[in-house]
Amino acid sequence: MINIKNNIADIEQQISLACQQNARKSEEVCLLAVSKTKPNSLIEQAYQAGQRHFGENYLQEAVEKIQALKHLNDLCWHFIGPIQSNKTKLIAENFTWVHSVERLKIAERLNNHRQQAIAANKDLKPLNVCLQLNISEEISKSGVSASELDELANFVNQCEYLTLRGLMAIPEKNAPKSTYMQMQRLFNQLKAQYPSVDTLSLGMSNDLAQAIAAGSTMVRIGTAIFGARG
Ligand SMILES: *Cc1c(COP(=O)(O)O)cnc(C)c1O
């Protein structure tokens, strides 16, 4: 049987080792547990082990889980999957973070829907946004290209109901170190331009150490916590 508590402890250990090797503090790196396709019972086990940040990719599935787990009222939900326009309303209503904003039109819709959500629930804060960068351009089609990043960042920064927090990327498998270094450079540039930027969402089960070496502040870990997905 899978032992979620041990797996989380193991990942925390890997994070702290990678931080040590790069003269960073482990508090600088947040562990986001990616629970897509996994049942609520495993999310509850992770919660019991102290995990609070969870990432989901598929909106329908995510919204059902968020409803079912409402009693765990300090859970923080992050949307990390591709976003179609017709999904922005539910994302704005249900999540605290979204990592996968790559188009102006999507940002604009999220901003409008978050405004409505806040009007209905004064406890809600602006939605935390990371821009998804297409860092391995030949391989992947999702994400904004580096040349269009400025315009999108500037737009999100001006949205009253969105908070620009940083960048997210999914490097190709076995991406060279230069890819990670480029990500770090773009993140540092963005941070210098916008005071609200503090998050580099980079690193998954297989590239956690490279990501932390490149300054990642949030690693998105699925398989290493919850096991392989079917
Ligand atoms: C599925 C997924 C992850 C987790 O990947 P693992 O390899 O299972 O750790 C992280 N980020 C995104 C965007 C994902 O879709």
Side-chain angles (χ1 to χ4, degrees), residues 34 36 57 80 168 170 204-205 220-223 229:
V34 177
K36 63 183 177 204
N57 287 55
I80 63 175
M168 182 272 242
I170 310 172
M204 319 204 304
S205 295
R220 309 179 308 268
I221 308 295
T223 309
R229 291 175 293 273

Side-chain angles (χ1 to χ4, degrees), residues 9 31 35 76-77 86 88 98 120 152 165 184 192 200-201 222:
L31 172 56
S35 46
C76 183
W77 293 99
N86 62 357
T88 50
V98 53
L152 183 59
R165 296 297 295 268
Q184 179 166 41
L200 178 56
S201 169

Side-chain angles (χ1 to χ4, degrees), residues 60-183:
Q60 191 61 42
E61 175 194 343
V63 169
E64 285 169 20
K65 287 173 169 176
I66 292 169
Q67 290 303 327
L69 295 168
K70 271 230 148 51
H71 56 286
L72 309 176
N73 58 21
D74 57 347
L75 272 194
C76 183
W77 293 99
H78 298 238
F79 191 78
I80 63 175
I83 309 175
Q84 284 94 45
S85 320
N86 62 357
K87 296 186 177 166
T88 50
K89 183 168 190 285
L90 278 176
I91 293 173
E93 288 172 350
N94 285 282
F95 288 83
T96 304
W97 284 74
V98 53
H99 293 224
S100 39
V101 173
E102 56 176 14
R103 285 189 288 143
L104 227 120
K105 181 181 161 208
I106 294 292
E108 185 178 27
R109 292 178 62 97
L110 286 170
N111 186 52
N112 291 338
H113 288 307
R114 191 68 166 192
Q115 176 175 23
Q116 289 161 16
I118 289 174
N121 174 5
K122 302 285 187 217
D123 293 337
L124 276 186
K125 302 277 183 289
L127 184 61
N128 294 299
V129 169
C130 289
L131 308 178
Q132 182 172 352
L133 197 68
N134 186 351
I135 199 72
S136 301
E137 295 210 12
E138 327 72 65
I139 315 291
S140 155
K141 288 189 178 45
S142 49
V144 64
S145 65
S147 59
E148 292 168 303
L149 178 60
D150 272 350
E151 189 189 5
L152 183 59
N154 185 46
F155 180 81
V156 169
N157 183 56
Q158 287 175 27
C159 289
E160 186 173 352
Y161 303 97
L162 306 179
T163 302
L164 179 63
R165 296 297 295 268
L167 294 180
M168 182 272 242
I170 310 172
E172 61 179 299
K173 255 202 175 67
N174 304 316
K177 190 170 181 204
S178 58
T179 299
Y180 291 85
M181 294 300 114
Q182 195 201 351
M183 198 64 203

